[in-house]
Amino acid sequence: MSATPQSSTASIGSVDAQRVEDALSLIAPKWTTWSAQTLAQQGSPMRVRDVAARLPFVSEQLVGKRLAQMHADGLATRVGDRHGAPYQLSAFGESLSRVHHTLSDWSQANLSLGGRVAGAERVEDAVRRLHLRDSTAVIQVLDAGGPMRFVHIAEEAGLDNGWARQRLNRLQVDGLVARTGPRHGDPYVLTDAGRALGPVYAAIEHWSDPVTARHRSVSPTPVATATRTHTGVPLGSDNIRTAAALRRSAAAPSAQFSHAPQPQPRVPAAVTAQSTPSRGR
């Protein structure tokens, strides 16, 4: 799907950083993209066990929790109220297709993930790099005035020095920010990947537009098993991948749930090679 003229010329500084990050927090939890694209490809209501059958590398329990959270966030609806009622994407969830393709295009053009990576995993990897609170503000400051020393970045972004340094360190690890030299105190600049984020931010902000949000179904009652995930993932190494290049954090338990998930089987390479981002309906 080609970008619209509006998104192709969008500037990083023109978007509402908090709105972008609030939108990203809805799709950042692990397996949200996989679940959404599975529902989109099916095009009709699916029970938890049927979604899990399409994602053999995720336990049925985790699929159930992710679909419950998507329901609570307005991304999915349930057909009926009885236990085991099937899920389908809401209009709001279906409109994620454009965001997924923009994220995938940005990743393919700017990131080297190594090997053949499933489309859904490429999107989830991109969201993981972008969704942490205040990351967008830091990127906007550097886009407007880089190269800059970290104390000036913190001042411009309105952040505590220690917090700004944490964000810069994480953005460096994720390949969006770089230092101009090896010495302590050398200024920071955006990488090519960071400078290319304008269309990505524009697509996410457009998706979160209040007009678009009106297409959501009536807000459902939060499901007891669903856990809010609007906090950042722990800093640490998450470079260990499965044979199919799926990232799994080896540094800390997942921050998605109130308890650490059970270890999951590795994703078969054939599944990864065949998976592509959903084009929606």
Side-chain angles (χ1 to χ4, degrees), residues 2-256:
S2 60
T4 63
Q6 178 182 6
S7 64
S8 64
T9 59
S11 68
I12 291 174
S14 67
V15 301
D16 183 324
Q18 182 169 343
R19 189 162 135 192
V20 167
E21 289 173 1
D22 286 345
L24 283 169
S25 71
L26 296 180
I27 57 178
K30 189 69 173 172
W31 311 121
T32 298
T33 301
W34 286 93
S35 299
Q37 292 190 2
T38 299
L39 290 174
Q41 288 166 359
Q42 176 69 15
S44 59
M46 298 181 72
R47 298 184 187 279
V48 171
R49 64 173 178 267
D50 297 325
V51 177
R54 300 281 188 90
L55 305 175
F57 41 88
V58 191
S59 73
E60 185 172 325
Q61 180 186 27
L62 291 187
V63 171
K65 289 191 175 189
R66 186 51 57 236
L67 289 172
Q69 187 60 62
M70 291 172 64
H71 178 250
D73 287 334
L75 298 175
T77 60
R78 297 189 74 181
V79 183
D81 297 325
R82 66 186 183 279
H83 178 73
Y87 290 89
Q88 63 184 5
L89 289 179
S90 65
F92 189 55
E94 288 179 344
S95 67
L96 261 177
S97 176
R98 182 180 295 276
V99 175
H100 285 172
H101 281 285
T102 303
L103 286 163
S104 181
D105 289 346
W106 171 76
S107 174
Q108 289 180 5
N110 297 282
L111 304 176
S112 178
L113 302 186
R116 297 193 65 181
V117 181
E121 181 58 23
R122 186 174 285 279
V123 171
E124 292 203 344
D125 172 83
V127 175
R128 178 193 63 78
R129 297 170 191 257
L130 300 176
H131 87 283
L132 295 183
R133 184 62 65 192
D134 298 319
S135 293
T136 310
V138 170
I139 289 172
Q140 285 180 322
V141 167
L142 281 172
D143 181 63
M148 296 178 70
R149 299 182 186 278
F150 102 89
V151 291
H152 297 144
I153 296 170
E155 181 180 0
E156 290 293 324
L159 303 177
D160 172 81
N161 283 355
W163 183 249
R165 189 181 291 279
Q166 283 190 32
R167 279 294 163 264
L168 286 164
N169 287 343
R170 176 60 183 265
L171 289 167
Q172 275 189 280
V173 170
D174 286 337
L176 305 180
V177 166
R179 277 180 127 168
T180 57
R183 296 177 302 175
H184 177 74
D186 280 334
Y188 292 86
V189 294
L190 291 180
T191 62
D192 290 342
R195 286 191 295 270
L197 281 171
V200 175
Y201 286 152
I204 294 166
E205 185 178 47
H206 178 73
W207 174 70
S208 71
D209 192 285
V211 174
T212 304
R214 288 198 204 108
H215 292 288
R216 298 190 197 192
S217 303
V218 176
S219 298
T221 302
V223 181
T225 55
T227 303
R228 300 303 301 173
T229 53
H230 289 206
T231 56
V233 297
L235 292 177
S237 172
D238 55 3
N239 293 325
I240 296 178
R241 298 190 181 112
T242 64
L246 277 174
R247 280 187 173 83
R248 298 289 297 185
S249 174
S254 171
Q256 295 170 13

